[in-house]
């Protein structure tokens, strides 16, 4: 299959690209679309054959459920119900964060095909804030299932070029909407009843941080990174230990750890601020160095550049990627979670 990349940089291009995407999606095809978090590989959520094409293109195992994106909040009842005991909180979260990078886990409507939810009684739902995504989904008028547009377990794409390098020849169309604003996948939350406050269980850390969620309940993080080759808790079936993984082995330095290179090995550094005072960036051993947020170090900037930087280092041909930790607070929690999952020991040379 030929994969076409369609632009949106001029009003006439945008119009043409939107109708092409809508036409393909309505015909049960998959299309890669920009969202505010990462690029998604979309298909009609209510069409099981179309959804099966997502799993095939990504080589995604069937036990890993997808996120359903709504054209509008008012369409929620077609996909999910809100349990009465958490209704007030769920509605507040939607009111506050939608459209935006918050995914909620809710009891599934029986009409949603089982292939979407991997047979679970719950479904993940969100409404994307990306204007191009919104234009396409509101004109299609159907909910879209869309996981990140990478092959399973690999680095999430934050540009059309990254999608092409993941899925070239496997999907008919990529809508190029430029770089993604947040750069990390949505925060996934399950609301549980609790006293005196409801519990907001974070199944995947993301752009909506603990501080953002705190006003709405007691925030708990569910996903401790499981050990190598170990599946995650059934709570978040897709959260395997090895995820977001570059092909190149990656080692995450501990805070304050001094790195000692092995003679003859080629190293790439993923640096937070590029500051020699942080320890690693001043060493002479780097074949390549990519800095996430030069200068003071700003977490939103680091988040936006994170997956692109990882991809650049992976493609640079080094033997091993060494990653500096970022501050484990705010958005840094989401970056650190991805770094821990990306880490894979190098086989000794
Ligand atoms: O920002 C995002 O969320 C992007 C964009 C494209 O919307 N999508 C995304 O999808 O990151 P994906 O498939 O790469 O990650 C979805 C995660 C998986 O880890 C999956 O296991 C989890 O959501 N998930 C889906 N349905 C679930 C459910 N019913 N219960 C628990 N976890 C669920
Ligand atoms: Mg993904």
């Amino acid at each position: 299959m030929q994969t076409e990349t369609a632009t949106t940089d001029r009003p006439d291009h945008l119009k043409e690209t939107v109708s092409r995407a809508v036409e393909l999606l309505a015909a049960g095809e998959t299309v890669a679309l920009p969202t505010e978090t990462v690029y998604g590989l979309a298909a009609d959520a209510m069409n099981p054959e179309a959804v099966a094409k997502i799993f095939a293109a990504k080589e995604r195992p069937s036990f890993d459920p997808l996120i359903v994106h709504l054209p509008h909040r008012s369409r929620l009842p077609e996909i999910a119900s809100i349990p009465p005991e958490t209704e007030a909180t769920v509605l507040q979260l939607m009111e506050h964060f939608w459209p935006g990078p918050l995914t909620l886990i809710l009891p599934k409507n029986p009409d949603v095909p089982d292939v979407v939810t991997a047979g679970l009684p719950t479904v993940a739902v969100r409404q994307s804030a990306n204007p191009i995504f919104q234009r396409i989904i509101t004109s299609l008028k159907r909910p879209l299932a869309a996981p990140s547009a990478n092959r399973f377990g690999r680095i999430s794409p934050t540009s059309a070029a990254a999608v092409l390098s993941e899925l070239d020849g496997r999907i008919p169309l990529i809508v190029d909407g430029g770089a993604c604003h947040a750069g990390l996948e949505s925060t996934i939350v399950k609301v549980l009843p609790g006293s005196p406050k409801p519990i907001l269980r974070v199944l995947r850390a993301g752009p909506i941080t603990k501080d953002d969620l705190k006003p709405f309940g007691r925030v708990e993080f569910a996903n401790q990174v499981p050990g190598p080759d170990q599946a995650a808790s059934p709570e978040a079936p897709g959260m395997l230990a090895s995820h977001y993984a570059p092909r190149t082995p990656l080692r995450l330095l501990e805070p304050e750890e001094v790195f000692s290179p092995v003679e003859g090995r080629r190293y790439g550094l993923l640096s937070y601020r590029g500051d020699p005072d942080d320890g690693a960036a001043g060493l002479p051993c780097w074949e390549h160095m990519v800095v996430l947020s030069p200068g003071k170090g700003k977490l939103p900037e680091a988040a936006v550049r994170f997956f692109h930087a990882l991809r650049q280092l992976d493609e640079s041909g080094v033997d091993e990627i060494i990653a500096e930790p970022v501050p484990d607070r705010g958005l840094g929690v989401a970056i650190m979670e991805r770094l821990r999952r990306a880490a894979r020991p190098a086989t000794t040379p």
Side-chain angles (χ1 to χ4, degrees), residues 80 119 156 237 291 301 336:
S156 297
V291 181
E301 182 181 28
M336 285 301 283

Side-chain angles (χ1 to χ4, degrees), residues 23-45:
E23 200 178 286
L24 282 164
L25 291 164
E29 290 301 328
T30 60
V31 178
L33 300 178
T35 84
E36 71 278 49
T37 58
V38 301
Y39 274 73
L41 181 61
D44 180 346

Side-chain angles (χ1 to χ4, degrees), residues 83 86 89-90 93 104-106 189-193 198-201:
T86 53
T89 309
V90 169
L93 290 171
L104 293 165
I105 305 294
L106 294 169
V189 171
K190 194 173 194 170
V191 182
L192 303 168
I199 297 162
L200 308 183
R201 214 164 152 68

Side-chain angles (χ1 to χ4, degrees), residues 273-321:
R273 309 187 298 175
D275 188 337
D277 290 346
D278 293 346
L283 298 175
C285 60
W286 310 116
E287 192 112 341
H288 289 277
M289 180 179 355
V290 181
V291 181
L292 291 174
S293 179
K296 285 197 186 120
K298 296 192 191 84
L299 287 167
E301 182 181 28
V304 167
R305 292 163 89 153
F306 176 70
F307 282 126
H308 181 67
L310 204 53
R311 195 172 281 278
Q312 267 180 298
L313 283 169
D314 198 19
E315 286 164 5
S316 72
V318 295
D319 299 318
E320 191 170 359
I321 299 169

